[in-house]
Amino acid sequence: MAMSMIAELFDAAVESLGPLWVELSFLLFFSLGFIFLRKDTFRRQGAKKVSTAQGVKVRAAMPVRADSKWKKSLDAAASTCNNSDVLSTWRAEQKSMPTPKDLMKPVIQAFLDAEPDALLPEIMDHIRQHKETLSNVWTATSILDTVARAGKVKLMEKLWSSFSEESMSKNASMFEVVLGGFASAGQPEKVKEYKAMLRQANLKLSPRGYSLIIKGYLKNSLVDEVLANILEMCKDGQQVPGFAVAQFLRVSIDTGKTSAVYQVLKDNQIPMQSDAISVILEGCSRQKDPKMAKLAKQVEMDARAAKVEFSLQAYDSLLKTYAQDCDQRVFDIFREMQQNGHSISEGLCVGLLARCADAKFLSFAEEIIRFVQAGSGMSIALYSALMKVYAYSGMYDKACNLYAKIKEDGLEPDAMMYGCLMKFAVECGRTKLSQTLADKVPHMDIQNYMSLIRAAGRDRDVNRAFGVIKQLRQGGMVADAAAYNCVVDVCIQAGDMARAKELVREMKKLGLLDVITYNTFLKGFCAQGDLKGSKAVLVEMESEGLTPNDVSYNCILNTAVCNGNLYEAWDVIDKMEAANIRPDRYTLSIMMKAMKKVHNAKDLNRCFELLERSKIDPCSDEILMNTVLETCTKHRDYDRMESLLVRFEKSNLRPAVPTYGSIIKAFSSLKRPEKCWQYWEDMQNQRGLVPNDIVFGCMLDALVCNGLVEQAVELFQQTPLTKNAVLYSILIKGFANSQQPGRAMDCFWDMKKQGLKMNTVTYNSIIDSQARPGKMEEVSELLSHMAAEGCRPDAITHSTVVKGYCVRGDMDTALKVIREMQREKLPHDAVIYNTILDGCTRHKRMDIVDEILKSMDEQGVRPTNFTLGIIVKLYSRNKQLDLAFRAMETTPKRGNFVANAQVWTCLMCACLTNHEPDKAVKVFHDMKFAGQAPDSKTCTSLITGLIRARRYQQAVHMVEEIYNFGKGVAKGRNNCVELDCLESLLAVLVQEGYKEELAKPLLDKLLAAKVPVSGTLMACAFEMGPQGKGGPRSKASAPRGGKGNYRRA
């Protein structure tokens, strides 16, 4: 009964206390924990009571609190930053009590600032005196951290050793402080050493430790070491702090390792936050380098893939980079920035316009202006920046047109803008505007007056120029040498040498003569082609104690070139170099211009040697690049042309519209129409430049010359440019080349319908389109229209008519046309005789050749290289090789010309056609001796002829000679053997049983010289058995020119 009652009471208690079990359990365990954790306190209090009862003062095992008075004094001294007070206060009581924790660092800092040498001995003594309190990790870490931050790494290392001697324990924090100190001091070797010690102690670096090391290395711009620690941190499974990545990228930009560092971070999947992206994009925008623009595009793409938000700074940097690089993505970024609500300031717009000016990126500049006009409106700063864009693009007229808009907006240009506008007005020939602007300028300075003088020069108004000088003096200003030199230049432009001489004499009296004066004066003599007078000015200049400079020599050089005196031009170059005046880009441009009329390979090579010796990059200057390209095109130097275009594509040169024309022409010569299209679209779509009719003509001609007539027609129909007779002529040439005379005549009737005035050149192109297929009825009709419009036929017209009859095979009528020209005493040259001689060759009319050559002599018409080439072909086909050699000897003397490479090639081929391979080889050597470099066609023709003549060993020898095997001289595409010919030679050598003897050694040499040989041929050469198809040949049965009978020509 009692037991049941107890059970009931227990159950009731349990039920009533059920909701409180959790709270009661927590209270119980808390009490037990408190008693357990505070057990040492109870013990110390018991010990203290016993000691006190025994009358003995016992110091507690736990560090006692410092005397409050001493602590206050030390704290007060530290707060005043008085190092002497800190140290004296500390020294007063340091023996009797330990330094408080919160004052250890100020004491150490006072030692470092005032008495660094005393720190080690005194602090170590202090620690020994209070070993129980201070001989611990916290104290050591605090001391080392303070010393490390002060950069005293030697002292830090000594302290580390002293702590070790005292057997003080070390933890990861202590190591990290020391590692950070060594990193900050730029001592990576010490960092490695202490890292090894850390690992030996079975400790690991914490994120804080890595951060200290990375910060230290960043401070010293040790990019490689920072990267190694970041990668190590990732390997340890720790997250790299965002600030470390951003700062690391900033340092890598300064050290020029941005691309490599970014790629490593990307490869190791280290996340880059918005600030890191902003840093790298800003670095890309600061460096105006295409490689950095490429990196910016990659960073943008990666950031978008990682869904990183772009900051305002990132957008700013992207816009500047893409504007500088003329990248179309700049439009998308600009619109995105607006859509995301980012503020686009006037300062940013001005900065972007400046980038557009440098890059000549007209389309984006106008996009910026549209945005501004739709918003806050234009300001003087924005107009000034836009004006700069137009001026840099050579669009001075558009720059001047901005003045009216500025006035419409109620704005007033400042003095600087007025000065720029005056200068631009002069450049585009708007001299009246320059005078109007001068009247508006509040305070005219010397530069404004000089603009007015230049305007007078544009109008060739000498009196007005002198009037400006008078006006300048009346304004209380002193005319300096620069102003007088401008007036001298006006006299020169107007051709008034008498006034120029008078002014120079006046300047001499005033002591204002300088090098610029004489150079300007020199220009006057040069403009008249007076080489003798130019040299006299140079002598006078030197007598006045003035040293001629590059401009002086360039003036005389240009005169010599314009006079066609190449000997005198090279003499000027020699004198320049003797005077230690290096040829500049103008010197080189002048000489390249001279090469357009030169047919001598020696002068051409000398000119290119001058270019190489000058170490001037042709891609650094548009004018120089244009002249070099034109020279290469003229002389068909495709190797140099291709090399120059490759360099251009890697350069920072932003071509203007005329340069695009030269580039398109060059790629057309290289048979690269796809590149022509690329630059055509780049000019308009990417750069926003508007092609003129000349560049449009270049593009049309490129398509026509590369057989893309239909593309040319489509482009012609789509162009908004006004179509003129020249553009129609190019299209007609395309129809003539593609044998479409009907469409050529359609163009003619279109021109007639539009009322376009056609000149002789235009008519010649239409007549040519009809004469080529022999449509002589249409030719006669065109000649009638030509006479009706008053266009006088020239030598090319008659030559084209003769060509038409020659195509038909009507040589007698063709000869009749020539006789009529002679009777009417119409001017005619070698072209027409070349045409009929070529017809005689095609139609085997040797019976009238002598008569034609005799007529040519009687009319005093000098033969040309083309004439000689036709004669050689003619005699070759008639099996009269001796007469071909005689013509090669006598014709150049009669025509006063040097036989070119094409003629030598004709003679060599004539020898091969007439089964005289030895003579062909001799001609090849004579050609090189004459200074005419054999091109790919010549070399290929020779090797092909020797193969046909079964001169296999001789063919191999000539290949080795052509490629200069063993002499280390690299050959280009112009003087090599075509790949098909080489493959044919190797194949026939294997087939004829000369695999080991000739084929394999030749193949090895070709491969060693990096001559392209197809893999198929190589496999064939080595898989085919030594007997080949014809089986092995003995030396006795070797073909003529093989091993048995080889004879060097």
Side-chain angles (χ1 to χ4, degrees):
M1 183 70 179
M3 289 299 291
S4 63
M5 287 180 67
I6 292 170
E8 286 178 8
L9 286 170
F10 180 75
D11 290 339
V14 168
E15 187 177 351
S16 62
L17 293 173
L20 302 174
W21 280 124
V22 177
E23 287 82 354
L24 290 171
S25 300
F26 176 76
L27 181 61
L28 174 63
F29 284 110
F30 178 78
S31 302
L32 289 172
F34 179 78
I35 293 165
F36 177 76
L37 293 172
R38 302 295 292 173
K39 184 170 60 175
D40 57 340
T41 306
F42 297 141
R43 278 203 199 114
R44 283 196 298 270
Q45 286 177 350
K48 187 173 181 180
K49 287 177 182 178
V50 172
S51 301
T52 306
Q54 295 173 351
V56 180
K57 292 182 180 179
V58 181
R59 180 174 295 175
M62 187 172 180
V64 296
R65 190 163 53 89
D67 181 79
S68 59
K69 186 178 179 182
W70 180 59
K71 182 181 177 181
K72 284 181 181 178
S73 301
L74 195 57
D75 195 17
S79 65
T80 61
C81 299
N82 190 322
N83 296 323
S84 298
D85 286 353
V86 171
L87 292 179
S88 60
T89 304
W90 180 79
R91 283 167 176 156
E93 298 292 340
Q94 60 92 10
K95 289 183 180 179
S96 60
M97 58 190 73
T99 306
K101 280 186 177 182
D102 56 338
L103 291 172
M104 179 62 79
K105 286 191 176 183
V107 170
I108 299 300
Q109 191 62 53
F111 269 111
L112 291 170
D113 293 341
E115 302 177 33
D117 294 337
L119 187 150
L120 181 60
E122 292 194 35
I123 287 296
M124 289 311 300
D125 284 345
H126 182 56
I127 291 171
R128 292 186 194 103
Q129 288 168 5
H130 306 282
K131 195 164 187 178
E132 292 178 0
T133 307
L134 299 179
S135 184
N136 55 47
V137 170
W138 186 91
T139 303
T141 304
S142 181
I143 294 169
L144 289 170
D145 183 50
T146 309
V147 175
R149 289 177 185 277
K152 307 285 186 181
V153 287
K154 289 185 178 179
L155 179 58
M156 179 185 73
E157 202 167 3
K158 288 177 182 177
L159 282 165
W160 178 273
S161 301
S162 298
F163 293 154
S164 299
E165 290 169 6
E166 294 296 323
S167 301
M168 293 173 68
S169 60
K170 301 179 179 67
N171 66 359
S173 295
M174 198 167 164
F175 273 101
E176 287 167 0
V177 165
V178 175
L179 288 168
F182 284 127
S184 293
Q187 297 184 11
E189 293 303 320
K190 283 290 182 182
V191 172
K192 289 178 184 176
E193 179 186 336
Y194 276 74
K195 268 189 180 181
M197 291 165 60
L198 176 78
R199 285 189 290 271
Q200 287 172 4
N202 292 321
L203 297 172
K204 276 185 72 175
L205 276 172
S206 67
R208 175 180 175 274
Y210 278 114
S211 295
L212 287 171
I213 295 170
I214 290 169
K215 277 183 182 178
Y217 282 148
L218 286 171
K219 176 184 172 184
N220 292 281
S221 300
L222 297 172
V223 176
D224 295 335
E225 285 74 12
V226 174
L227 183 57
N229 276 273
I230 286 177
L231 297 179
E232 189 179 330
M233 196 173 182
C234 291
K235 192 177 178 182
D236 284 350
Q238 299 180 21
Q239 187 175 357
V240 183
F243 85 87
V245 177
Q247 187 60 28
F248 176 42
L249 287 168
R250 187 171 282 112
V251 171
S252 70
I253 289 165
D254 296 337
T255 54
K257 297 182 178 181
T258 318
S259 297
V261 165
Y262 177 76
Q263 192 59 46
V264 173
L265 293 176
K266 181 182 171 184
D267 292 344
N268 286 274
Q269 298 181 340
I270 296 170
M272 280 172 271
Q273 298 170 0
S274 181
D275 55 345
I277 297 297
S278 297
V279 165
I280 196 167
L281 289 175
E282 184 187 5
C284 292
S285 71
R286 288 206 310 263
Q287 300 179 41
K288 299 176 181 179
D289 184 348
K291 291 179 182 177
M292 297 307 288
K294 188 177 179 182
L295 176 62
K297 293 169 195 173
Q298 185 63 51
V299 171
E300 184 206 349
M301 186 173 67
D302 294 342
R304 291 188 186 280
K307 296 183 179 178
V308 176
E309 257 189 54
F310 290 133
S311 64
L312 178 61
Q313 183 186 3
Y315 277 117
D316 183 299
S317 301
L318 278 173
L319 287 171
K320 287 177 179 175
T321 303
Y322 290 162
Q324 186 68 43
D325 198 49
C326 296
D327 194 312
Q328 289 297 297
R329 269 181 280 196
V330 73
F331 291 96
D332 296 331
I333 298 291
F334 194 58
R335 282 191 289 269
E336 182 183 319
M337 193 174 177
Q338 296 169 52
Q339 290 164 4
N340 290 347
H342 287 291
S343 174
I344 300 176
S345 65
E346 181 181 302
L348 173 59
C349 291
V350 170
L352 291 173
L353 286 170
R355 297 283 179 122
C356 291
D358 291 334
K360 300 172 186 171
F361 195 3
L362 194 60
S363 58
F364 184 53
E366 292 176 340
E367 174 70 15
I368 295 167
I369 296 305
R370 281 192 289 271
F371 164 76
V372 172
Q373 288 173 338
S376 58
M378 295 291 286
S379 66
I380 284 294
L382 286 163
Y383 271 118
S384 180
L386 180 59
M387 204 175 285
K388 184 179 176 184
V389 174
Y390 288 140
Y392 275 44
S393 298
M395 303 167 77
Y396 298 108
D397 199 50
K398 290 194 80 171
C400 291
N401 290 341
L402 291 177
Y403 175 65
K405 294 181 180 179
I406 291 170
K407 300 301 285 183
E408 283 175 16
D409 288 350
L411 300 172
E412 183 63 32
D414 56 17
M416 183 177 290
M417 183 178 278
Y418 270 121
C420 290
L421 281 166
M422 288 175 68
K423 182 180 176 183
F424 300 153
V426 173
E427 290 290 341
C428 65
R430 294 171 66 173
T431 53
K432 288 184 179 178
L433 177 61
S434 67
Q435 186 59 57
T436 302
L437 293 167
D439 297 337
K440 299 280 186 180
V441 177
H443 301 289
M444 290 278 286
D445 60 16
I446 192 71
Q447 294 299 324
N448 298 141
Y449 281 111
M450 286 171 67
S451 291
L452 288 177
I453 294 170
R454 292 190 184 101
R458 289 296 295 255
D459 293 339
R460 301 179 183 276
D461 191 337
V462 177
N463 292 329
R464 196 168 90 214
F466 276 95
V468 174
I469 286 286
K470 185 178 179 181
Q471 184 184 347
L472 187 151
R473 290 169 179 161
Q474 289 171 350
M477 299 179 72
V478 177
D480 58 7
Y484 273 107
N485 287 338
C486 275
V487 180
V488 173
D489 190 50
V490 174
C491 295
I492 299 304
Q493 288 181 58
D496 194 342
M497 289 299 292
R499 295 284 291 275
K501 290 176 183 177
E502 183 183 338
L503 186 57
V504 168
R505 282 195 294 270
E506 184 183 342
M507 289 176 70
K508 186 175 182 179
K509 291 177 183 177
L510 296 170
L512 294 175
L513 287 179
D514 58 13
V515 173
I516 297 172
T517 311
Y518 275 109
N519 284 343
T520 309
F521 194 41
L522 194 62
K523 191 169 72 172
F525 287 97
C526 293
Q528 296 176 348
D530 187 353
L531 202 57
K532 186 177 179 181
S534 301
K535 289 182 176 181
V537 173
L538 213 62
V539 172
E540 183 184 340
M541 186 177 178
E542 289 173 332
S543 69
E544 289 292 327
L546 297 170
T547 305
N549 59 13
D550 52 350
V551 178
S552 316
Y553 284 107
N554 285 340
C555 279
I556 297 177
L557 180 67
N558 191 52
T559 306
V561 166
C562 291
N563 289 350
N565 193 338
L566 202 58
Y567 174 82
E568 191 69 46
W570 284 120
D571 183 59
V572 173
I573 295 290
D574 292 339
K575 286 177 180 176
M576 278 183 79
E577 294 186 320
N580 292 321
I581 297 173
R582 291 185 63 180
D584 60 8
R585 60 184 187 273
Y586 297 107
T587 314
L588 297 168
S589 297
I590 292 166
M591 289 308 296
M592 285 294 168
K593 182 175 70 175
M595 293 303 108
K596 293 178 189 176
K597 300 178 182 178
V598 166
H599 302 287
N600 188 345
K602 185 178 178 182
D603 282 318
L604 184 65
N605 291 332
R606 187 177 177 185
C607 188
F608 278 111
E609 285 170 7
L610 176 67
L611 175 62
E612 290 169 12
R613 198 164 62 245
S614 72
K615 301 196 183 305
I616 294 174
D617 182 5
C619 299
S620 63
D621 179 76
E622 278 194 81
I623 296 173
L624 177 57
M625 182 177 151
N626 280 332
T627 54
V628 174
L629 280 176
E630 287 170 7
T631 302
C632 291
T633 303
K634 168 73 177 175
H635 294 277
R636 300 180 183 180
D637 193 343
Y638 300 124
D639 268 353
R640 280 197 179 96
M641 183 189 293
E642 192 167 31
S643 174
L644 178 59
L645 289 170
V646 169
R647 286 171 68 181
F648 160 71
E649 291 188 325
K650 294 179 180 177
S651 73
N652 295 329
L653 182 66
R654 302 294 178 204
V657 171
T659 309
Y660 272 107
S662 298
I663 293 167
I664 289 168
K665 279 170 64 179
F667 276 118
S668 172
S669 300
L670 293 172
K671 305 300 178 187
R672 299 282 304 277
E674 76 285 354
K675 296 294 285 186
C676 299
W677 273 119
Q678 177 188 322
Y679 281 95
W680 174 256
E681 290 168 359
D682 172 84
M683 173 179 58
Q684 297 176 93
N685 301 333
Q686 188 162 326
R687 298 284 307 286
L689 300 175
V690 179
N692 55 28
D693 53 354
I694 296 173
V695 178
F696 180 67
C698 290
M699 186 61 204
L700 268 185
D701 191 63
L703 295 173
V704 163
C705 292
N706 284 277
L708 302 173
V709 180
E710 295 308 318
Q711 290 184 22
V713 171
E714 186 179 353
L715 183 64
F716 183 82
Q717 290 171 346
Q718 291 175 352
T719 183
L721 292 170
T722 303
K723 299 175 179 68
N724 55 37
V726 175
L727 298 177
Y728 268 107
S729 297
I730 295 169
L731 206 57
I732 289 166
K733 182 175 75 172
F735 292 137
N737 292 341
S738 57
Q739 295 293 312
Q740 298 185 69
R743 294 180 76 180
M745 285 302 290
D746 290 342
C747 286
F748 170 70
W749 295 118
D750 277 349
M751 284 190 283
K752 294 286 285 183
K753 186 178 179 180
Q754 293 177 36
L756 293 178
K757 184 164 180 64
M758 290 176 273
N759 56 20
T760 304
V761 175
T762 309
Y763 268 108
N764 285 345
S765 64
I766 306 169
I767 291 170
D768 179 61
S769 70
Q770 305 306 307
R772 286 191 186 196
K775 297 175 77 67
M776 299 311 294
E777 293 77 11
E778 284 80 358
V779 169
S780 299
E781 184 181 1
L782 289 167
L783 288 171
S784 300
H785 282 286
M786 194 174 180
E789 290 188 21
C791 286
R792 189 177 180 81
D794 59 8
I796 295 174
T797 313
H798 291 294
S799 174
T800 307
V801 173
V802 168
K803 179 170 66 176
Y805 287 117
C806 290
V807 168
R808 280 190 168 185
D810 190 353
M811 305 306 300
D812 295 324
T813 306
L815 191 58
K816 184 179 177 182
V817 172
I818 293 177
R819 287 170 183 156
E820 286 176 0
M821 287 178 64
Q822 292 171 355
R823 278 197 302 271
E824 294 177 15
K825 296 184 179 180
L826 293 173
H828 53 287
D829 56 15
V831 175
I832 194 165
Y833 288 100
N834 292 342
T835 303
I836 195 167
L837 283 170
D838 188 53
C840 292
T841 305
R842 292 174 185 275
H843 297 286
K844 300 179 181 179
R845 288 292 303 272
M846 287 297 296
D847 56 307
I848 59 174
V849 169
D850 290 338
E851 181 185 350
I852 294 167
L853 292 175
K854 183 182 177 183
S855 173
M856 201 171 177
D857 285 338
E858 288 173 352
Q859 295 295 319
V861 177
R862 289 185 174 185
T864 64
N865 265 303
F866 196 74
T867 314
L868 178 55
I870 295 169
I871 293 171
V872 169
K873 285 180 186 177
L874 196 148
Y875 286 134
S876 170
R877 291 183 182 182
N878 208 40
K879 308 297 181 185
Q880 295 175 302
L881 194 59
D882 54 336
L883 292 179
F885 273 95
R886 189 183 302 167
M888 188 71 175
E889 183 180 350
T890 59
T891 307
K893 294 176 183 176
R894 285 166 43 216
N896 193 25
F897 65 88
V898 176
N900 62 20
Q902 287 75 26
V903 172
W904 283 101
T905 302
C906 280
L907 183 61
M908 185 192 75
C909 291
C911 295
L912 293 169
T913 304
N914 286 273
H915 311 294
E916 293 285 354
D918 290 334
K919 286 186 177 180
V921 172
K922 185 177 185 305
V923 169
F924 183 81
H925 288 134
D926 290 345
M927 175 183 182
K928 293 202 294 184
F929 183 77
Q932 298 294 329
D935 60 11
S936 178
K937 182 181 177 183
T938 307
C939 299
T940 301
S941 298
L942 177 61
I943 302 304
T944 303
L946 292 173
I947 294 171
R948 286 176 181 167
R950 302 175 65 81
R951 296 292 191 93
Y952 303 133
Q953 189 164 354
Q954 198 170 13
V956 170
H957 175 77
M958 291 310 300
V959 169
E960 292 175 347
E961 180 182 323
I962 288 165
Y963 283 100
N964 280 352
F965 289 147
K967 297 183 181 180
V969 181
K971 291 290 180 181
R973 62 184 277 177
N974 283 352
N975 43 6
C976 63
V977 182
E978 289 178 7
L979 181 59
D980 289 345
C981 180
L982 284 176
E983 293 179 350
S984 297
L985 174 60
L986 289 168
V988 78
L989 289 174
V990 172
Q991 183 179 343
E992 295 294 334
Y994 294 100
K995 186 178 104 173
E996 297 297 331
E997 186 179 354
L998 297 174
K1000 191 174 182 302
L1002 177 60
L1003 183 61
D1004 291 340
K1005 290 175 182 177
L1006 290 169
L1007 293 174
K1010 297 183 179 179
V1011 176
V1013 177
S1014 71
T1016 306
L1017 176 62
M1018 289 174 61
C1020 234
F1022 291 107
E1023 285 175 9
M1024 195 178 292
Q1027 296 185 3
K1029 292 181 181 178
R1033 290 175 176 267
S1034 65
K1035 293 179 184 178
S1037 64
R1040 186 163 60 99
K1043 189 172 180 180
N1045 293 321
Y1046 170 64
R1047 177 169 60 87
R1048 183 170 182 175

